[in-house]
Amino acid sequence: MIPQPKAREVVDFGFSQIIGLRAWEPSVGVGSFLTVEFGSPRVTSAGVTQGAFHLWIYGSLWSIRERDDNIATSEQERPAMMAGAHAMDDAVVQGFEFDPDLMTLTLRFDSDLELVIRPSGDSDMEEWFLYLDDGTVITAGPGKGVVRESAAASSVEPGE
């Protein structure tokens, strides 16, 4: 049996690659899905322009904070979510924190912005996906699992 990396190692591998990159075109999708692009634009096989790194918050709760105050959450009305997402546009990733026990992820940006991602409580749903520039995807969830696999093997296509 081949040993699998721990959740923290997988998350560190992926998110360390976006430190120093600008967020662009953050967007609220179906329901409270949130996507954020990082790195150079590329066109997917579906003809969609995404970043070399594509973060898709899928089954998680999220909040966008500025100086410890929420400016938007996934539980608000759509206009508030969209305004909060827009606040991240052009912000530069300064760092991140991941707690594998709680499955919370915090991305820290310049301008005192943070994107905080936490589980919704649905243990059968993927929490988030980070599509990497090498054709792999890091998937958090269901449950406390975190895996890195070929994006082609992922059960959910980016931007669905």
Side-chain angles (χ1 to χ4, degrees):
M1 177 179 222
I2 298 171
Q4 295 296 311
K6 294 183 179 184
R8 179 177 302 282
E9 293 168 344
V10 174
V11 171
D12 286 352
F13 173 81
F15 284 92
S16 65
Q17 296 182 64
I18 66 170
I19 292 174
L21 297 181
R22 291 189 182 282
W24 55 276
E25 289 192 18
S27 178
V28 178
V30 175
S32 63
F33 288 176
L34 178 65
T35 60
V36 186
E37 312 303 328
F38 302 94
S40 301
R42 63 178 179 83
V43 178
T44 68
S45 59
V48 176
T49 300
Q50 293 179 334
F53 300 90
H54 172 75
L55 176 62
W56 182 12
I57 302 171
Y58 186 76
S60 290
L61 301 173
W62 55 264
S63 60
I64 300 167
R65 302 175 57 86
E66 184 175 32
R67 294 180 194 88
D68 296 324
D69 291 325
N70 280 338
I71 58 174
T73 74
S74 57
E75 299 172 303
Q76 291 178 304
E77 296 294 324
R78 191 164 190 79
M81 288 191 291
M82 292 170 65
H86 181 71
M88 287 189 299
D89 199 21
D90 210 33
V92 176
V93 179
Q94 300 293 309
F96 65 94
E97 294 175 23
F98 175 65
D99 183 328
D101 295 324
L102 298 176
M103 289 296 287
T104 59
L105 174 67
T106 301
L107 293 180
R108 291 186 314 279
F109 297 87
D110 58 356
S111 306
D112 293 322
L113 282 176
E114 289 183 336
L115 171 60
V116 180
I117 305 165
R118 55 188 168 78
S120 66
D122 185 342
S123 62
D124 295 326
M125 183 180 288
E126 290 88 354
E127 301 291 343
W128 51 260
F129 305 90
L130 178 63
Y131 292 83
L132 306 177
D133 65 348
D134 66 359
T136 62
V137 59
I138 295 172
T139 304
K144 292 189 177 187
V146 178
V147 297
R148 179 176 168 225
E149 62 186 345
S150 165
S154 175
S155 63
V156 181
E157 291 295 318
E160 278 188 353

